[in-house]
Amino acid sequence: MNSNIATIITTCHTCQLSDLCLPYGLNVNEIESLEHIIRNKRPLQAKQLLYSKGDECKSLYVVKSGGFRSFLINAEGSEQTINFYLPGELMGLDALFSGSFCSSIDALVTSAVCELPLNRLNELCDKIPNLQHQMTRVLSKEISHNHDQLVLFGNNSAKIKLASFLLILSKRYELLGCSSTEFNLTMRRHDIANFLSLSDETVSRQFTALSKDKIISVNQRAIKILDLDLLKSIVEHSEEEDSLFFNKRASKAM
Amino acid sequence: MNSNIATIITTCHTCQLSDLCLPYGLNVNEIESLEHIIRNKRPLQAKQLLYSKGDECKSLYVVKSGGFRSFLINAEGSEQTINFYLPGELMGLDALFSGSFCSSIDALVTSAVCELPLNRLNELCDKIPNLQHQMTRVLSKEISHNHDQLVLFGNNSAKIKLASFLLILSKRYELLGCSSTEFNLTMRRHDIANFLSLSDETVSRQFTALSKDKIISVNQRAIKILDLDLLKSIVEHSEEEDSLFFNKRASKAM
DNA sequence: CGACTCTTTGACTGCATTCAAGCTCCGTGG
DNA sequence: CCACGGAGCTTGAATGCAGTCAAAGAGTCG
């Protein structure tokens, strides 16, 4: 059937994403070894689960196209979105510790992944030091990315949260070679709200507020950033305006 | 001077923390190799910096005693606390990606660390596959720990945040072989507030609220958990009570 | 076309922040 | 030894931002 398509897709050295992905820093032979262990799952439809929390982790996954979200379900049964994944990003890294997935992941839109069987990946890491180092780098990157996210949540105001969110997305799209000022959101308002710990209505209100100020234009999931500097200034000057020299609570100790 | 003390301290196989630390899963010879690369820095006083964001990462550090906090300074100059570190926990993992530290760390109280020079640690990882795997596990653990933290922040209510914070601390102290119901906070109220993205006053109010309900007793930084189940129920039943059919308001702790 | 999901908008309530003042603890120096 | 001062913590009162509830608009699909 379309097995030839799968073959094409699994070729790292013709993949536009390879610089953002595991092959980064590997030589031609090493990339070829990596290619041989990659399997392709059939594309996932929106809302379809890639894996569930608690499942044994037999593979890691790289986003090939589309987008995903990871989430946890807390004691009351409500979801908390942990992260969004764009093409080139590795999913499942939190499972390496315990051997089973610590969160669930589903597709936001129709999406494709590269599957990396863990046993073969580990074998390869033992053989190719560069790959092992790249794995370590990817893990470390995920940690520092999570830290940035925690800082984002430290800014309590809904306006700042949404502005930060858009700026982060803008950067990630730029890295992918897409436009940094014009892109389509892969996620629904509800997903954004849940991710930012806001209500759906608040997210909606902030979108319209940013529109009215001509900072962005919104049409459904299509976003245009009209004034990048103004968007940045929302995040940066959050507290300066009102209190420059007077009691700034949090920032006493250098 | 006290170089003999330093020698004693750097012996992993006599260290109570070794099961929580890098030596976990290593055999006697491997632990000995690891011991040889460990250096000891002199103890740090409260508020003293271990490293600053942007510094080149030449070493990783393990908390030997005391406690630390990592933090970032955002555009306005105010701090955001990212994480607290208790004995046995590895600091600096977010630097492996870029080679320089992505956050700053200072001591909360007088504290000691084991220093692991990165170049020697990497050499050792290449030689000892078990150590490399353990490093990967520690990195992965940090990621899933960060995810739990993000979920914590998803629960907006100040009461739930503080209850979760205390429960997480309780578990970590238990792992260290300390009492899970009676411990001293290493951090000030301000640090907790900053970490939980709350104001100092709100944290204080929630402490007194928990005291009045006889769930905990507070004396300065000394905490006793009087009713662990009730504390857990605050986190778990956060939304069940109210959104069944009525507005909550009337229903208290039943 | 109707049923559905997703999104927007409005009105109201409440929780956490903010501002302000008083308290406790602790080290320092008279 | 007590007085003093400062840092950290607690408490009170008022404001405002975001959540909740409710309903209607917009887009999608069978």
Side-chain angles (χ1 to χ4, degrees), chain A residues 36-76:
Chain A
H36 279 122
I37 74 165
I38 293 176
R39 288 203 302 238
N40 265 67
K41 301 193 74 163
R42 67 178 59 188
L44 286 89
Q45 300 301 314
K47 297 197 178 179
Q48 198 178 339
L49 278 166
L50 179 63
Y51 55 73
S52 294
K53 179 182 173 174
D55 289 355
E56 187 192 350
C57 171
K58 293 178 182 167
S59 298
L60 300 181
Y61 302 90
V62 180
V63 183
K64 184 78 189 164
S65 66
F68 292 84
R69 73 187 251 272
S70 63
F71 61 97
L72 286 172
I73 297 181
N74 57 23
E76 311 102 64

mmCIF file of all heavy atoms in Angstrom, chain A residues 36-76:
data_model
loop_
_atom_site.group_PDB
_atom_site.id
_atom_site.type_symbol
_atom_site.label_atom_id
_atom_site.label_comp_id
_atom_site.label_asym_id
_atom_site.label_seq_id
_atom_site.Cartn_x
_atom_site.Cartn_y
_atom_site.Cartn_z
ATOM 1 N N HIS A 36 17.500 3.252 10.984
ATOM 2 C CA HIS A 36 17.095 1.847 10.900
ATOM 3 C C HIS A 36 16.201 1.404 12.044
ATOM 4 O O HIS A 36 15.491 0.420 11.925
ATOM 5 C CB HIS A 36 18.341 0.947 10.831
ATOM 6 C CG HIS A 36 18.926 0.873 9.468
ATOM 7 N ND1 HIS A 36 20.223 1.234 9.190
ATOM 8 C CD2 HIS A 36 18.369 0.531 8.275
ATOM 9 C CE1 HIS A 36 20.458 1.097 7.908
ATOM 10 N NE2 HIS A 36 19.348 0.680 7.312
ATOM 11 N N ILE A 37 16.258 2.107 13.147
ATOM 12 C CA ILE A 37 15.429 1.656 14.276
ATOM 13 C C ILE A 37 14.089 2.387 14.322
ATOM 14 O O ILE A 37 13.216 2.031 15.095
ATOM 15 C CB ILE A 37 16.157 1.831 15.633
ATOM 16 C CG1 ILE A 37 16.214 3.304 16.045
ATOM 17 C CG2 ILE A 37 17.546 1.231 15.581
ATOM 18 C CD1 ILE A 37 16.590 3.475 17.509
ATOM 19 N N ILE A 38 13.933 3.409 13.479
ATOM 20 C CA ILE A 38 12.695 4.193 13.535
ATOM 21 C C ILE A 38 11.537 3.433 12.897
ATOM 22 O O ILE A 38 11.655 2.875 11.823
ATOM 23 C CB ILE A 38 12.879 5.543 12.799
ATOM 24 C CG1 ILE A 38 13.880 6.409 13.558
ATOM 25 C CG2 ILE A 38 11.545 6.280 12.694
ATOM 26 C CD1 ILE A 38 14.202 7.705 12.866
ATOM 27 N N ARG A 39 10.425 3.427 13.623
ATOM 28 C CA ARG A 39 9.204 2.841 13.071
ATOM 29 C C ARG A 39 8.167 3.935 12.914
ATOM 30 O O ARG A 39 8.201 4.939 13.610
ATOM 31 C CB ARG A 39 8.662 1.771 14.020
ATOM 32 C CG ARG A 39 9.495 0.502 14.034
ATOM 33 C CD ARG A 39 8.671 -0.675 14.499
ATOM 34 N NE ARG A 39 8.136 -0.424 15.832
ATOM 35 C CZ ARG A 39 8.373 -1.215 16.891
ATOM 36 N NH1 ARG A 39 9.142 -2.261 16.759
ATOM 37 N NH2 ARG A 39 7.845 -0.935 18.045
ATOM 38 N N ASN A 40 7.263 3.731 12.000
ATOM 39 C CA ASN A 40 6.202 4.724 11.837
ATOM 40 C C ASN A 40 4.858 4.160 12.252
ATOM 41 O O ASN A 40 4.453 3.095 11.824
ATOM 42 C CB ASN A 40 6.121 5.169 10.376
ATOM 43 C CG ASN A 40 6.929 6.422 10.177
ATOM 44 O OD1 ASN A 40 8.142 6.364 10.296
ATOM 45 N ND2 ASN A 40 6.267 7.530 9.957
ATOM 46 N N LYS A 41 4.223 4.878 13.119
ATOM 47 C CA LYS A 41 2.847 4.523 13.450
ATOM 48 C C LYS A 41 1.948 5.200 12.433
ATOM 49 O O LYS A 41 2.316 6.209 11.831
ATOM 50 C CB LYS A 41 2.489 5.021 14.852
ATOM 51 C CG LYS A 41 3.372 4.456 15.932
ATOM 52 C CD LYS A 41 2.788 4.731 17.301
ATOM 53 C CE LYS A 41 1.608 3.838 17.565
ATOM 54 N NZ LYS A 41 1.244 3.779 18.989
ATOM 55 N N ARG A 42 0.767 4.662 12.250
ATOM 56 C CA ARG A 42 -0.167 5.336 11.352
ATOM 57 C C ARG A 42 -0.543 6.674 11.968
ATOM 58 O O ARG A 42 -0.471 6.847 13.194
ATOM 59 C CB ARG A 42 -1.412 4.482 11.137
ATOM 60 C CG ARG A 42 -2.262 4.315 12.381
ATOM 61 C CD ARG A 42 -3.488 3.492 12.054
ATOM 62 N NE ARG A 42 -3.094 2.172 11.536
ATOM 63 C CZ ARG A 42 -3.960 1.313 11.027
ATOM 64 N NH1 ARG A 42 -5.233 1.645 10.927
ATOM 65 N NH2 ARG A 42 -3.558 0.135 10.612
ATOM 66 N N PRO A 43 -0.913 7.656 11.147
ATOM 67 C CA PRO A 43 -1.260 8.981 11.667
ATOM 68 C C PRO A 43 -2.359 8.916 12.717
ATOM 69 O O PRO A 43 -3.229 8.041 12.662
ATOM 70 C CB PRO A 43 -1.765 9.716 10.413
ATOM 71 C CG PRO A 43 -1.121 9.020 9.281
ATOM 72 C CD PRO A 43 -0.978 7.593 9.686
ATOM 73 N N LEU A 44 -2.287 9.830 13.671
ATOM 74 C CA LEU A 44 -3.324 9.875 14.707
ATOM 75 C C LEU A 44 -4.320 10.990 14.394
ATOM 76 O O LEU A 44 -3.940 12.057 13.924
ATOM 77 C CB LEU A 44 -2.694 10.133 16.071
ATOM 78 C CG LEU A 44 -1.942 8.966 16.717
ATOM 79 C CD1 LEU A 44 -0.492 8.960 16.294
ATOM 80 C CD2 LEU A 44 -2.079 9.030 18.227
ATOM 81 N N GLN A 45 -5.579 10.705 14.675
ATOM 82 C CA GLN A 45 -6.619 11.718 14.525
ATOM 83 C C GLN A 45 -6.647 12.609 15.764
ATOM 84 O O GLN A 45 -6.117 12.235 16.813
ATOM 85 C CB GLN A 45 -7.993 11.053 14.351
ATOM 86 C CG GLN A 45 -8.092 10.139 13.147
ATOM 87 C CD GLN A 45 -7.796 10.873 11.853
ATOM 88 O OE1 GLN A 45 -8.306 11.969 11.623
ATOM 89 N NE2 GLN A 45 -6.939 10.301 11.018
ATOM 90 N N ALA A 46 -7.272 13.780 15.622
ATOM 91 C CA ALA A 46 -7.418 14.679 16.764
ATOM 92 C C ALA A 46 -8.077 13.934 17.924
ATOM 93 O O ALA A 46 -8.999 13.151 17.732
ATOM 94 C CB ALA A 46 -8.265 15.883 16.364
ATOM 95 N N LYS A 47 -7.552 14.192 19.119
ATOM 96 C CA LYS A 47 -8.065 13.598 20.366
ATOM 97 C C LYS A 47 -7.686 12.129 20.566
ATOM 98 O O LYS A 47 -7.979 11.552 21.601
ATOM 99 C CB LYS A 47 -9.594 13.736 20.464
ATOM 100 C CG LYS A 47 -10.042 15.188 20.515
ATOM 101 C CD LYS A 47 -11.463 15.281 21.012
ATOM 102 C CE LYS A 47 -11.877 16.738 21.109
ATOM 103 N NZ LYS A 47 -13.253 16.883 21.572
ATOM 104 N N GLN A 48 -7.024 11.545 19.565
ATOM 105 C CA GLN A 48 -6.615 10.153 19.713
ATOM 106 C C GLN A 48 -5.391 10.075 20.618
ATOM 107 O O GLN A 48 -4.475 10.891 20.525
ATOM 108 C CB GLN A 48 -6.291 9.581 18.324
ATOM 109 C CG GLN A 48 -6.279 8.060 18.275
ATOM 110 C CD GLN A 48 -5.996 7.543 16.867
ATOM 111 O OE1 GLN A 48 -6.188 8.269 15.879
ATOM 112 N NE2 GLN A 48 -5.525 6.309 16.781
ATOM 113 N N LEU A 49 -5.389 9.075 21.493
ATOM 114 C CA LEU A 49 -4.312 8.947 22.458
ATOM 115 C C LEU A 49 -3.066 8.342 21.821
ATOM 116 O O LEU A 49 -3.153 7.333 21.112
ATOM 117 C CB LEU A 49 -4.745 8.066 23.628
ATOM 118 C CG LEU A 49 -5.566 8.729 24.727
ATOM 119 C CD1 LEU A 49 -6.207 7.664 25.627
ATOM 120 C CD2 LEU A 49 -4.704 9.660 25.560
ATOM 121 N N LEU A 50 -1.905 8.934 22.084
ATOM 122 C CA LEU A 50 -0.633 8.319 21.692
ATOM 123 C C LEU A 50 -0.248 7.277 22.737
ATOM 124 O O LEU A 50 0.148 6.165 22.410
ATOM 125 C CB LEU A 50 0.455 9.390 21.583
ATOM 126 C CG LEU A 50 1.850 8.921 21.199
ATOM 127 C CD1 LEU A 50 1.858 8.302 19.803
ATOM 128 C CD2 LEU A 50 2.843 10.063 21.275
ATOM 129 N N TYR A 51 -0.365 7.682 23.999
ATOM 130 C CA TYR A 51 -0.233 6.718 25.098
ATOM 131 C C TYR A 51 -0.918 7.269 26.338
ATOM 132 O O TYR A 51 -1.229 8.462 26.390
ATOM 133 C CB TYR A 51 1.228 6.370 25.392
ATOM 134 C CG TYR A 51 2.135 7.538 25.683
ATOM 135 C CD1 TYR A 51 2.052 8.223 26.888
ATOM 136 C CD2 TYR A 51 3.126 7.938 24.782
ATOM 137 C CE1 TYR A 51 2.900 9.279 27.173
ATOM 138 C CE2 TYR A 51 3.971 8.990 25.046
ATOM 139 C CZ TYR A 51 3.852 9.659 26.254
ATOM 140 O OH TYR A 51 4.699 10.698 26.536
ATOM 141 N N SER A 52 -1.138 6.396 27.312
ATOM 142 C CA SER A 52 -1.791 6.818 28.556
ATOM 143 C C SER A 52 -0.822 6.723 29.717
ATOM 144 O O SER A 52 0.101 5.902 29.703
ATOM 145 C CB SER A 52 -2.995 5.927 28.850
ATOM 146 O OG SER A 52 -3.980 6.108 27.878
ATOM 147 N N LYS A 53 -1.055 7.518 30.705
ATOM 148 C CA LYS A 53 -0.268 7.443 31.930
ATOM 149 C C LYS A 53 -0.321 6.029 32.490
ATOM 150 O O LYS A 53 -1.392 5.430 32.565
ATOM 151 C CB LYS A 53 -0.810 8.428 32.965
ATOM 152 C CG LYS A 53 -0.029 8.364 34.262
ATOM 153 C CD LYS A 53 -0.562 9.283 35.336
ATOM 154 C CE LYS A 53 0.179 9.008 36.630
ATOM 155 N NZ LYS A 53 -0.146 9.910 37.706
ATOM 156 N N GLY A 54 0.824 5.505 32.872
ATOM 157 C CA GLY A 54 0.877 4.184 33.457
ATOM 158 C C GLY A 54 1.266 3.100 32.454
ATOM 159 O O GLY A 54 1.750 2.043 32.839
ATOM 160 N N ASP A 55 1.055 3.363 31.159
ATOM 161 C CA ASP A 55 1.465 2.400 30.135
ATOM 162 C C ASP A 55 2.969 2.156 30.223
ATOM 163 O O ASP A 55 3.735 3.079 30.520
ATOM 164 C CB ASP A 55 1.169 2.948 28.724
ATOM 165 C CG ASP A 55 -0.323 2.979 28.414
ATOM 166 O OD1 ASP A 55 -1.101 2.496 29.255
ATOM 167 O OD2 ASP A 55 -0.685 3.495 27.347
ATOM 168 N N GLU A 56 3.367 0.919 29.961
ATOM 169 C CA GLU A 56 4.795 0.633 29.913
ATOM 170 C C GLU A 56 5.421 1.402 28.750
ATOM 171 O O GLU A 56 4.847 1.465 27.668
ATOM 172 C CB GLU A 56 5.015 -0.870 29.719
ATOM 173 C CG GLU A 56 6.483 -1.265 29.821
ATOM 174 C CD GLU A 56 6.707 -2.700 29.348
ATOM 175 O OE1 GLU A 56 5.707 -3.417 29.141
ATOM 176 O OE2 GLU A 56 7.867 -3.086 29.184
ATOM 177 N N CYS A 57 6.570 2.004 29.003
ATOM 178 C CA CYS A 57 7.221 2.800 27.959
ATOM 179 C C CYS A 57 8.129 1.912 27.131
ATOM 180 O O CYS A 57 9.224 1.559 27.557
ATOM 181 C CB CYS A 57 8.018 3.939 28.584
ATOM 182 S SG CYS A 57 9.058 4.823 27.417
ATOM 183 N N LYS A 58 7.644 1.513 25.954
ATOM 184 C CA LYS A 58 8.461 0.691 25.058
ATOM 185 C C LYS A 58 9.139 1.533 23.995
ATOM 186 O O LYS A 58 10.052 1.092 23.320
ATOM 187 C CB LYS A 58 7.585 -0.377 24.396
ATOM 188 C CG LYS A 58 7.050 -1.405 25.381
ATOM 189 C CD LYS A 58 6.146 -2.398 24.680
ATOM 190 C CE LYS A 58 5.582 -3.396 25.691
ATOM 191 N NZ LYS A 58 4.474 -4.179 25.127
ATOM 192 N N SER A 59 8.625 2.743 23.795
ATOM 193 C CA SER A 59 9.165 3.615 22.748
ATOM 194 C C SER A 59 9.102 5.068 23.171
ATOM 195 O O SER A 59 8.260 5.452 23.984
ATOM 196 C CB SER A 59 8.345 3.470 21.453
ATOM 197 O OG SER A 59 8.402 2.165 20.951
ATOM 198 N N LEU A 60 9.984 5.857 22.606
ATOM 199 C CA LEU A 60 9.825 7.307 22.633
ATOM 200 C C LEU A 60 9.265 7.731 21.275
ATOM 201 O O LEU A 60 9.331 6.976 20.313
ATOM 202 C CB LEU A 60 11.165 7.994 22.888
ATOM 203 C CG LEU A 60 11.871 7.636 24.190
ATOM 204 C CD1 LEU A 60 13.174 8.422 24.324
ATOM 205 C CD2 LEU A 60 10.963 7.912 25.383
ATOM 206 N N TYR A 61 8.722 8.938 21.229
ATOM 207 C CA TYR A 61 8.102 9.397 19.985
ATOM 208 C C TYR A 61 8.567 10.813 19.654
ATOM 209 O O TYR A 61 8.741 11.639 20.550
ATOM 210 C CB TYR A 61 6.580 9.383 20.099
ATOM 211 C CG TYR A 61 6.013 8.032 20.430
ATOM 212 C CD1 TYR A 61 5.833 7.641 21.759
ATOM 213 C CD2 TYR A 61 5.677 7.137 19.420
ATOM 214 C CE1 TYR A 61 5.320 6.394 22.072
ATOM 215 C CE2 TYR A 61 5.166 5.888 19.720
ATOM 216 C CZ TYR A 61 4.989 5.513 21.046
ATOM 217 O OH TYR A 61 4.495 4.278 21.348
ATOM 218 N N VAL A 62 8.758 11.072 18.369
ATOM 219 C CA VAL A 62 9.058 12.418 17.904
ATOM 220 C C VAL A 62 7.880 12.903 17.065
ATOM 221 O O VAL A 62 7.363 12.142 16.235
ATOM 222 C CB VAL A 62 10.329 12.451 17.044
ATOM 223 C CG1 VAL A 62 10.622 13.866 16.568
ATOM 224 C CG2 VAL A 62 11.506 11.892 17.808
ATOM 225 N N VAL A 63 7.457 14.135 17.275
ATOM 226 C CA VAL A 63 6.389 14.697 16.451
ATOM 227 C C VAL A 63 6.918 14.895 15.036
ATOM 228 O O VAL A 63 7.950 15.538 14.839
ATOM 229 C CB VAL A 63 5.898 16.051 16.987
ATOM 230 C CG1 VAL A 63 4.735 16.557 16.130
ATOM 231 C CG2 VAL A 63 5.493 15.952 18.439
ATOM 232 N N LYS A 64 6.238 14.298 14.078
ATOM 233 C CA LYS A 64 6.629 14.424 12.674
ATOM 234 C C LYS A 64 5.838 15.570 12.030
ATOM 235 O O LYS A 64 6.383 16.400 11.318
ATOM 236 C CB LYS A 64 6.312 13.102 11.978
ATOM 237 C CG LYS A 64 6.736 13.040 10.544
ATOM 238 C CD LYS A 64 8.212 12.798 10.447
ATOM 239 C CE LYS A 64 8.656 12.968 9.003
ATOM 240 N NZ LYS A 64 10.092 13.106 8.910
ATOM 241 N N SER A 65 4.557 15.599 12.320
ATOM 242 C CA SER A 65 3.705 16.680 11.819
ATOM 243 C C SER A 65 2.508 16.811 12.745
ATOM 244 O O SER A 65 2.168 15.883 13.464
ATOM 245 C CB SER A 65 3.227 16.377 10.399
ATOM 246 O OG SER A 65 2.378 15.242 10.424
ATOM 247 N N GLY A 66 1.880 17.978 12.738
ATOM 248 C CA GLY A 66 0.712 18.199 13.592
ATOM 249 C C GLY A 66 1.109 18.708 14.956
ATOM 250 O O GLY A 66 2.041 19.505 15.083
ATOM 251 N N GLY A 67 0.442 18.248 15.985
ATOM 252 C CA GLY A 67 0.729 18.704 17.341
ATOM 253 C C GLY A 67 0.086 17.811 18.383
ATOM 254 O O GLY A 67 -0.908 17.127 18.097
ATOM 255 N N PHE A 68 0.695 17.798 19.565
ATOM 256 C CA PHE A 68 0.197 16.959 20.650
ATOM 257 C C PHE A 68 0.141 17.746 21.946
ATOM 258 O O PHE A 68 0.727 18.828 22.052
ATOM 259 C CB PHE A 68 1.111 15.743 20.840
ATOM 260 C CG PHE A 68 1.069 14.761 19.711
ATOM 261 C CD1 PHE A 68 1.844 14.952 18.575
ATOM 262 C CD2 PHE A 68 0.246 13.650 19.784
ATOM 263 C CE1 PHE A 68 1.799 14.049 17.524
ATOM 264 C CE2 PHE A 68 0.196 12.748 18.738
ATOM 265 C CZ PHE A 68 0.979 12.940 17.604
ATOM 266 N N ARG A 69 -0.565 17.198 22.903
ATOM 267 C CA ARG A 69 -0.553 17.766 24.247
ATOM 268 C C ARG A 69 -0.385 16.646 25.247
ATOM 269 O O ARG A 69 -0.910 15.547 25.056
ATOM 270 C CB ARG A 69 -1.836 18.534 24.541
ATOM 271 C CG ARG A 69 -3.049 17.674 24.765
ATOM 272 C CD ARG A 69 -4.303 18.517 24.891
ATOM 273 N NE ARG A 69 -4.814 18.535 26.239
ATOM 274 C CZ ARG A 69 -5.670 17.626 26.725
ATOM 275 N NH1 ARG A 69 -6.094 16.630 25.981
ATOM 276 N NH2 ARG A 69 -6.113 17.722 27.959
ATOM 277 N N SER A 70 0.383 16.894 26.288
ATOM 278 C CA SER A 70 0.476 15.931 27.380
ATOM 279 C C SER A 70 -0.361 16.446 28.533
ATOM 280 O O SER A 70 -0.489 17.658 28.724
ATOM 281 C CB SER A 70 1.926 15.738 27.818
ATOM 282 O OG SER A 70 2.456 16.942 28.319
ATOM 283 N N PHE A 71 -0.952 15.547 29.282
ATOM 284 C CA PHE A 71 -1.828 15.973 30.376
ATOM 285 C C PHE A 71 -1.883 14.917 31.462
ATOM 286 O O PHE A 71 -1.550 13.752 31.250
ATOM 287 C CB PHE A 71 -3.233 16.268 29.851
ATOM 288 C CG PHE A 71 -3.910 15.078 29.224
ATOM 289 C CD1 PHE A 71 -4.791 14.303 29.960
ATOM 290 C CD2 PHE A 71 -3.659 14.741 27.900
ATOM 291 C CE1 PHE A 71 -5.414 13.204 29.398
ATOM 292 C CE2 PHE A 71 -4.280 13.639 27.314
ATOM 293 C CZ PHE A 71 -5.160 12.864 28.065
ATOM 294 N N LEU A 72 -2.284 15.360 32.629
ATOM 295 C CA LEU A 72 -2.519 14.473 33.761
ATOM 296 C C LEU A 72 -3.960 14.633 34.193
ATOM 297 O O LEU A 72 -4.572 15.680 33.969
ATOM 298 C CB LEU A 72 -1.594 14.821 34.920
ATOM 299 C CG LEU A 72 -0.133 14.414 34.769
ATOM 300 C CD1 LEU A 72 0.703 14.992 35.894
ATOM 301 C CD2 LEU A 72 -0.020 12.898 34.753
ATOM 302 N N ILE A 73 -4.502 13.614 34.820
ATOM 303 C CA ILE A 73 -5.846 13.713 35.385
ATOM 304 C C ILE A 73 -5.707 13.643 36.896
ATOM 305 O O ILE A 73 -5.136 12.696 37.424
ATOM 306 C CB ILE A 73 -6.740 12.579 34.867
ATOM 307 C CG1 ILE A 73 -6.888 12.723 33.347
ATOM 308 C CG2 ILE A 73 -8.095 12.617 35.551
ATOM 309 C CD1 ILE A 73 -7.771 11.689 32.705
ATOM 310 N N ASN A 74 -6.175 14.676 37.562
ATOM 311 C CA ASN A 74 -5.977 14.714 39.017
ATOM 312 C C ASN A 74 -7.098 14.001 39.754
ATOM 313 O O ASN A 74 -7.992 13.402 39.146
ATOM 314 C CB ASN A 74 -5.823 16.155 39.493
ATOM 315 C CG ASN A 74 -7.008 17.010 39.117
ATOM 316 O OD1 ASN A 74 -8.098 16.501 38.895
ATOM 317 N ND2 ASN A 74 -6.790 18.304 39.041
ATOM 318 N N ALA A 75 -7.019 14.061 41.069
ATOM 319 C CA ALA A 75 -7.907 13.253 41.911
ATOM 320 C C ALA A 75 -9.382 13.461 41.591
ATOM 321 O O ALA A 75 -10.183 12.527 41.652
ATOM 322 C CB ALA A 75 -7.637 13.543 43.381
ATOM 323 N N GLU A 76 -9.752 14.678 41.237
ATOM 324 C CA GLU A 76 -11.183 14.937 40.980
ATOM 325 C C GLU A 76 -11.600 14.512 39.583
ATOM 326 O O GLU A 76 -12.768 14.612 39.231
ATOM 327 C CB GLU A 76 -11.503 16.419 41.115
ATOM 328 C CG GLU A 76 -10.986 17.078 42.351
ATOM 329 C CD GLU A 76 -9.759 17.872 42.005
ATOM 330 O OE1 GLU A 76 -9.892 18.823 41.232
ATOM 331 O OE2 GLU A 76 -8.682 17.533 42.502
#
